Amino acid sequence: MKKFLTLALALVMALALVACGGQPASTDEQKPAEGDTTTTEKVEVPAVEDLTSVDTSKIPGVEDGKLTVGMECKYAPYNWTQMDDSNGAVPIANNPGSYANGYDVMIAKRICEAYGWDLEIMAIDWDGLTPALASGQIDAVIAGQSMTPERLQEVDMAGPYFYASIVCVTKKDSELANAKGISELKGSATAQTGTIWYTTCLPQVEGAEVMPASESAPAMIMAVASGTVDFICTDMPTAMGACQTYPDLTILDFSANEADNFKVAQSDIDIGISVSKGNTQLKDAMDKVLSALNADHFNALMNEAVKVQPAI
């Protein structure tokens, strides 16, 4: 839902803790944060199923027992870069001394734990992820990619591993802060390049002056935080992360107003894991792990990512 994506469900999530070491993770009961529509009931994330007895030695990409995953490492709360291994961060192979963390890393760790694979993370720019997969540099892309028909012409995808609804973000003191639908939006706007937010959603806002696309999620968020644009279009997790870093921002979620909300296909908000076209063995192995989780589990894990993410 990223990108070409990608993004997130209703104003979803509180904050929780994921455990990738075989123990169930759970969300803490607490007052919901702004934009949070999840219940305060505890959500137990299932322990990772032990699938190490499955012979994966002939699955393309992981014959050596190592899964190499590409992600931007700069798209919080899906993935980010930090300078230590706190909160379960994983070293970035092509950026020595740096570590990757976030929701995508949590999902990658669950998959690797299930099969006993080693996990290697590669930091690759958004536009370079699919080419890196095609060239064999990486085995999979876990980076908030939406499962669009266009993308599925190039890759196969496991999942979904998240459902990402589309929202907007503006300043709390903006006249747009009380907007009840996209017809009430006006002024300058942007979104990240290469995403459905920019190519599909912003053109639906008749009152928007669409500015050039931002090259990254942090650049997009900075555009609205600095006042360069009046609002941005993104997904729920990215919006929540932005508001955590910049408390003067607020989320505009029009999901309750179906008639005046963004019109997107389900494939636009289904977020999946890309593997090489034809590598159905790796896809199926990943789907086996993901099938144990539902939307509430995904949200609980994403809550924890938002909770521990660094400032954007």
Side-chain angles (χ1 to χ4, degrees), residues 18-90:
V18 61
C20 293
Q23 296 299 319
S26 65
T27 56
D28 294 327
E29 296 188 33
Q30 56 187 307
K31 181 179 178 181
E34 176 186 355
D36 190 351
T37 59
T38 56
T39 176
T40 57
E41 295 180 4
K42 180 182 291 187
V43 175
E44 295 288 345
V45 179
V48 177
E49 181 181 0
D50 185 353
L51 299 173
T52 54
S53 62
V54 177
D55 182 8
T56 61
S57 62
K58 294 182 174 58
I59 296 180
V62 294
E63 302 95 333
D64 58 354
K66 179 176 68 177
L67 179 69
T68 301
V69 175
M71 59 184 67
E72 290 175 284
C73 298
K74 55 182 179 181
Y75 176 39
Y78 286 93
N79 55 73
W80 65 76
T81 298
Q82 59 188 62
M83 302 315 294
D84 58 41
D85 63 357
S86 61
N87 299 310
V90 175

Side-chain angles (χ1 to χ4, degrees), residues 208-268:
E209 178 187 359
V210 179
M211 307 301 288
S214 299
E215 63 181 22
S216 66
M220 170 188 67
I221 293 166
M222 181 55 67
V224 68
S226 66
T228 302
V229 297
D230 296 309
F231 68 96
I232 59 173
C233 182
T234 185
D235 67 1
M236 180 59 72
T238 306
M240 291 181 66
C243 291
Q244 178 161 299
T245 298
Y246 300 100
D248 61 334
L249 297 180
T250 189
I251 299 171
L252 305 178
D253 178 17
F254 307 128
S255 58
N257 187 357
E258 185 176 352
D260 199 12
N261 193 13
F262 295 107
K263 303 299 188 293
V264 295
Q266 184 64 40
S267 60
D268 290 332

Side-chain angles (χ1 to χ4, degrees), residues 19 89 105 191:
V105 176

Side-chain angles (χ1 to χ4, degrees), residues 131-306:
L133 184 62
S135 71
Q137 180 184 2
I138 56 178
D139 304 317
V141 176
I142 308 181
Q145 292 182 320
S146 54
M147 303 175 73
T148 62
E150 294 80 10
R151 180 165 284 119
L152 288 170
Q153 291 179 3
E154 301 181 291
V155 301
D156 285 335
M157 299 190 81
Y161 73 98
F162 195 73
Y163 303 97
S165 61
I166 310 299
V167 298
C168 292
V169 177
T170 190
K171 290 278 190 74
K172 285 182 176 178
D173 60 1
S174 167
E175 62 180 291
L176 302 178
N178 294 317
K180 298 298 188 293
I182 64 174
S183 65
E184 298 181 20
L185 297 176
K186 60 183 179 180
S188 56
T190 191
Q192 183 176 357
T193 186
T195 67
I196 63 161
W197 315 329
Y198 193 80
T199 60
T200 301
C201 295
L202 282 182
Q204 297 179 38
V205 183
E206 295 182 1
E209 178 187 359
V210 179
M211 307 301 288
S214 299
E215 63 181 22
S216 66
M220 170 188 67
I221 293 166
M222 181 55 67
V224 68
S226 66
T228 302
V229 297
D230 296 309
F231 68 96
I232 59 173
C233 182
T234 185
D235 67 1
M236 180 59 72
T238 306
M240 291 181 66
C243 291
Q244 178 161 299
T245 298
Y246 300 100
D248 61 334
L249 297 180
T250 189
I251 299 171
L252 305 178
D253 178 17
F254 307 128
S255 58
N257 187 357
E258 185 176 352
D260 199 12
N261 193 13
F262 295 107
K263 303 299 188 293
V264 295
Q266 184 64 40
S267 60
D268 290 332
I269 62 175
D270 287 349
I271 307 304
I273 299 173
S274 292
V275 299
S276 297
K277 195 70 176 175
N279 192 354
T280 56
Q281 290 174 281
L282 184 55
K283 172 189 176 299
D284 291 346
M286 292 178 169
D287 276 332
K288 172 65 174 174
V289 178
L290 297 175
S291 66
L293 304 175
N294 59 32
D296 287 339
H297 301 142
F298 296 150
N299 289 337
L301 295 176
M302 183 63 84
N303 287 343
E304 173 54 19
V306 173

Side-chain angles (χ1 to χ4, degrees), residues 119-139:
L119 173 60
E120 181 178 65
I121 300 292
M122 299 283 287
I124 300 172
D125 286 342
W126 177 252
D127 290 339
L129 288 168
T130 299
L133 184 62
S135 71
Q137 180 184 2
I138 56 178
D139 304 317

